[in-house]
């Protein structure tokens, strides 16, 4: 009887440890493989996309402190930001975003997408007609972030960086 009790305790302890490890590492669902940086709606952002975007933007604007959290959030929000911008005729094209990355010889798609998303965010934020809709999007967005990139609570990032316009739009675009 004592032997069964020890085995049961050990099994229960191992199960508890495994559960705690999963909880601490943020594993579960799409985040369990470590390759997913963020999900929002139908959009999944990979850690490779985040790394590519950070690398490209850091080459152009190293002083901005653009980090993985910012990249994951902007990449996850990109489709919704583009929809919102189209509704207000304020869209930013991929060509404009690529032009902003011009010093980078061969920018990644993720870098271009992150820049487009950031420029779109700034355009929406700066236009009085779209400010309320943008605030509503940010307040209601339920972005799931891999804990490696911080946390998102409806309304914005909880840890690390801020969702801000880290790249200035050129005056000739």
């Amino acid at each position: 009887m004592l032997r069964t009790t020890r085995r049961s305790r050990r099994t229960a302890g191992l199960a508890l440890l495994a559960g705690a490890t999963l909880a601490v590492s943020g594993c579960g669902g799409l985040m369990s493989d470590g390759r997913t940086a963020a999900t929002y709606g139908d959009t999944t952002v990979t850690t490779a996309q985040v790394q590519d975007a950070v690398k490209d933007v850091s080459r152009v604007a190293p002083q901005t402190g653009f980090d993985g959290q910012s990249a994951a959030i902007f990449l996850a929000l990109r489709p919704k930001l583009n929809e919102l911008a189209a509704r207000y005729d304020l869209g930013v094209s991929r060509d404009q975003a690529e032009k902003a990355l011009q010093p980078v010889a061969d920018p990644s798609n993720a870098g271009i997408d992150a820049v487009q998303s950031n420029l779109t965010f700034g355009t929406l934020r700066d236009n009085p007609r779209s400010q309320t809709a943008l605030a509503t999007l940010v307040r209601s967005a339920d972005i799931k972030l891999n804990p490696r990139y911080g946390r998102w609570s409806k309304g914005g990032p909880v840890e690390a960086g801020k969702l801000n316009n880290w790249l200035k739009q050129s005056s000739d675009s």
Side-chain angles (χ1 to χ4, degrees):
M1 182 89 169
L2 184 59
R3 182 174 219 172
T4 305
T5 304
R6 284 183 181 168
R7 183 175 292 159
S8 297
R9 285 184 192 160
R10 182 188 301 170
T11 304
L14 290 174
L16 183 60
L17 179 61
T21 301
L22 288 174
V24 169
S25 67
C27 292
L30 289 172
M31 301 296 167
S32 64
D33 65 7
R35 292 178 291 197
T36 301
T39 59
Y40 175 55
D42 294 335
T43 302
T44 298
V45 179
T46 67
T47 55
Q49 288 173 304
V50 168
Q51 291 166 357
D52 287 347
V54 170
K55 185 172 83 175
D56 288 348
V57 172
S58 295
R59 288 179 182 166
V60 175
Q63 74 287 356
T64 62
F66 181 69
D67 60 7
Q69 183 183 54
S70 298
I73 291 168
F74 278 113
L75 289 168
L77 284 175
R78 182 176 165 267
K80 294 295 183 186
L81 289 171
N82 285 345
E83 285 176 23
L84 197 56
R87 188 180 328 154
Y88 291 96
D89 294 324
L90 297 171
V92 175
S93 71
R94 281 183 56 83
D95 288 342
Q96 288 172 297
E98 191 169 7
K99 185 176 180 182
L101 285 172
Q102 210 166 33
V104 177
D106 188 20
S108 65
N109 284 328
I112 295 167
D113 289 347
V115 169
Q116 181 186 28
S117 183
N118 176 260
L119 293 174
T120 301
F121 180 88
T123 300
L124 290 165
R125 185 199 58 217
D126 294 344
N127 190 296
R129 295 181 303 123
S130 58
Q131 289 172 348
T132 301
L134 177 62
T136 300
L137 170 63
V138 172
R139 265 195 317 273
S140 65
D142 191 15
I143 300 172
K144 304 291 185 225
L145 280 179
N146 180 320
R148 172 182 185 178
Y149 301 109
R151 286 187 318 137
W152 174 272
S153 177
K154 290 182 181 181
V158 175
E159 299 170 3
K162 296 178 182 177
L163 184 62
N164 61 25
N165 190 25
W166 42 265
L167 193 65
K168 299 290 183 207
Q169 191 168 3
S170 65
S171 58
D172 62 339
S173 54

